Amino acid sequence: MNASGNGVVIVGSGLAGVSVARELRKLDAAVPIRIVTADSGGFYSKPNLSNALAAGKNTAQLMQTPREALEKQLAIRIDFGVRVTNILLAGHLLETSAGRIEYEKLVLASGAQPIRLTIAGEGAAAVLSVNHIDDYAVFREQLASPSVKRVAILGAGLIGCEFANDLRSGGFEVDVFDIAPQPLGRLLPAQAAAFMRKHLEAAGVRFHFGVGAASVERTGAASGNIYSLTDSAGTIHAVDLVLSAVGLKPDTTLAAVAGLAVNRGIVPDRQLRCCAIDAAPQAGAGRPEVQVFAVGDCAEVEGLNLPYVMPIMAQARALAKTLAGMPTDVAYPAMPVVVKTPACPTVVCPPPPGVVGDWQEEISVDGVRALFASPDGSLRGFALCGATTAEKSALAARLPALLSERHP
Ligand SMILES: Cc1cc2nc3c(=O)[nH]c(=O)nc-3n(C[C@H](O)[C@H](O)[C@H](O)COP(=O)(O)OP(=O)(O)OC[C@H]3O[C@@H](n4cnc5c(N)ncnc54)[C@H](O)[C@@H]3O)c2cc1C
């Protein structure tokens, strides 16, 4: 332990940061754990944000563990509303908006930032993104205005489709725009995507494929048709609120400034330990010991940046062991993702990047079973829509691990 007694300092109080604290506390009742976070420091489940209307939950109800309760529960300290601006590796110091903080071991759990599209027009600055409960509070406040009836969503990916379904449950008109020709373009093969499209359309979602948003202008109307959105084909749509759901970019700012290896995300080794920019992840003996780790949406492990709950939990459990003095590689089993679109129950487990193979889709009236097989016939991924989602666990059990256990 260093003189400051700060032990493990975690930057970020999202699922990744809090899960590391929880898992480490299970293994070590005494080590000082301190979370430094730019937000309010309370814990909420981010996946609940895209189905809160159907679940009948407001923002206050979504907050599961307020900061004070979390501090008490885990015997940790949370510095909230504090932004880390720099890491001084040699001095084991963080520079923050509230002064310097010493660490012995540092965990970067800084998440990801919404990608902002370049959109013309004076209404572009009012386009919302939801990647945080505070963003969601703004979104819900605007939805509560009686003048907001029609919402445009940019992006028909997982988050865009979930919000589309949820907004329909809440009685809003919904138009979804995507330059791709189908929903969940990166996750679903053609027939499964067509099935999802049909069911979301039956629920009242209007899709506009092959077009993006070119401009968003304010109309000046006090109520109704607050914005006019011109799509890239030149069609004008009168809408009251625009939500962007075009994806997230890992937040690598701090790591990059500190000279840690960064690709799309921060690049730690299998023990989630970051390396100096000039040291390969597997560099051998003699490399300088960097006591900085990366976890969650900001991290890219063995080329995999997986911004989902299951990989984060696997990382947190492995990292807690490493921090407690039992160096442990992260291992990923096959990790299916449930898409929260009640109008079309869907589970996806995409093939790992670079794996060669083909999709085979079986379509019936009540579902689609899509299996991705390698040329040798082995199952490498799947997508299930409708009634076939019941096969999730059986199919996941047939898939090889994404990152296998490694034994010394
Ligand atoms: C709407 C929505 C629905 C989702 N649904 C699902 C789902 O159904 N299933 C699933 O598996 N996944 C889902 N996900 C993804 C999942 O929620 C995320 O992968 C996960 O919550 C990311 O957690 P994180 O802790 O890595 O990042 P974040 O939650 O982004 O936390 C980052 C933290 O870092 C802090 N921070 C950042 N920079 C600084 C700084 N410089 N100084 C101080 N603090 C800083 C932030 O304040 C924040 O506390 C969903 C995501 C969204 C947006």
Side-chain angles (χ1 to χ4, degrees):
M1 188 77 40
N2 66 2
S4 71
N6 275 338
V8 175
V9 174
I10 300 169
V11 179
S13 60
L15 178 71
V18 171
S19 298
V20 171
R22 273 193 217 287
E23 295 298 326
L24 179 56
R25 187 50 85 223
K26 287 183 202 165
L27 300 176
D28 187 333
V31 63
I33 303 174
R34 182 171 178 176
I35 292 181
V36 184
T37 179
D39 61 33
S40 71
F43 182 75
Y44 68 99
S45 172
K46 197 183 284 192
N48 290 344
L49 300 183
S50 48
N51 62 358
L53 288 172
K57 292 203 169 170
N58 62 29
T59 312
Q61 290 163 329
L62 289 167
M63 181 56 78
Q64 292 172 334
T65 319
R67 174 181 49 80
E68 299 87 340
L70 197 59
E71 286 184 314
K72 218 167 149 187
Q73 204 180 78
L74 300 179
I76 60 176
R77 169 177 174 174
I78 302 178
D79 295 85
F80 63 102
V82 176
R83 181 157 289 280
V84 178
T85 51
N86 197 8
I87 307 169
L88 303 174
L89 286 179
H92 282 209
L93 280 171
L94 294 180
E95 289 181 330
T96 82
S97 54
R100 287 185 164 189
I101 294 173
E102 284 183 56
Y103 64 86
E104 182 193 1
K105 293 173 185 168
L106 178 65
V107 177
L108 297 176
S110 53
Q113 295 295 330
I115 294 168
R116 297 289 297 184
L117 295 174
T118 308
I119 300 172
E122 55 177 12
V127 173
L128 300 180
S129 302
V130 173
N131 184 39
H132 192 280
I133 198 164
D134 292 344
D135 306 332
Y136 189 70
V138 174
F139 180 57
R140 277 294 278 263
E141 197 185 319
Q142 296 198 14
L143 288 178
S145 160
S147 59
V148 172
K149 295 188 173 58
R150 187 172 177 187
V151 180
I153 298 178
L154 311 182
L158 185 142
I159 306 290
C161 284
E162 290 186 351
F163 273 116
N165 200 155
D166 201 44
L167 285 162
R168 286 299 300 143
S169 309
F172 294 91
E173 287 184 62
V174 180
D175 290 85
V176 182
F177 299 81
D178 201 309
I179 52 171
Q182 62 162 70
L184 273 73
R186 283 198 288 267
L187 297 171
L188 290 181
Q191 296 304 323
F195 188 87
M196 169 163 282
R197 175 180 185 166
K198 188 173 87 180
H199 284 78
L200 284 181
E201 283 179 341
V205 175
R206 288 186 292 256
F207 282 110
H208 307 266
F209 287 115
V211 288
S215 71
V216 178
E217 300 287 354
R218 286 181 193 277
T219 60
S223 67
N225 304 346
I226 299 166
Y227 300 103
S228 102
L229 183 155
T230 305
D231 69 30
S232 51
T235 308
I236 296 172
H237 309 263
V239 298
D240 305 314
L241 199 158
V242 185
L243 177 69
S244 175
V246 295
L248 300 171
K249 189 180 174 309
D251 190 336
T252 57
T253 325
L254 287 173
V257 170
L260 299 172
V262 164
N263 187 34
R264 177 172 154 73
I266 305 169
V267 181
D269 64 15
R270 282 284 297 270
Q271 290 174 8
L272 302 173
R273 185 188 299 274
C274 297
C275 25
I277 208 155
D278 51 357
Q282 274 87 32
R287 75 174 172 174
E289 187 77 350
V290 179
Q291 292 282 37
V292 181
F293 302 82
V295 65
D297 280 8
C298 66
E300 176 183 326
V301 185
E302 303 259 322
L304 299 168
N305 172 241
L306 302 171
Y308 301 110
V309 172
M310 278 182 74
I312 291 177
M313 299 312 295
Q315 291 171 1
R317 285 189 293 269
L319 180 53
K321 287 186 190 160
T322 298
L323 292 170
M326 298 168 277
T328 302
D329 286 353
V330 67
Y332 293 149
M335 296 176 289
V337 177
V338 175
V339 186
K340 303 185 297 297
T341 43
C344 180
T346 297
V347 181
V348 291
C349 198
V355 167
V356 177
D358 288 307
W359 284 104
Q360 296 289 336
E361 299 189 79
E362 286 172 44
I363 306 135
S364 65
V365 278
D366 59 358
V368 177
R369 177 191 298 104
L371 304 180
F372 185 93
S374 293
D376 67 2
S378 59
L379 184 70
R380 300 308 305 270
F382 62 82
L384 304 169
C385 297
T388 61
T389 51
E391 297 171 30
K392 175 185 93 167
S393 302
L395 286 173
R398 286 176 49 198
L399 288 173
L402 207 50
L403 279 185
S404 310
E405 305 267 356
R406 285 198 308 198
H407 301 287

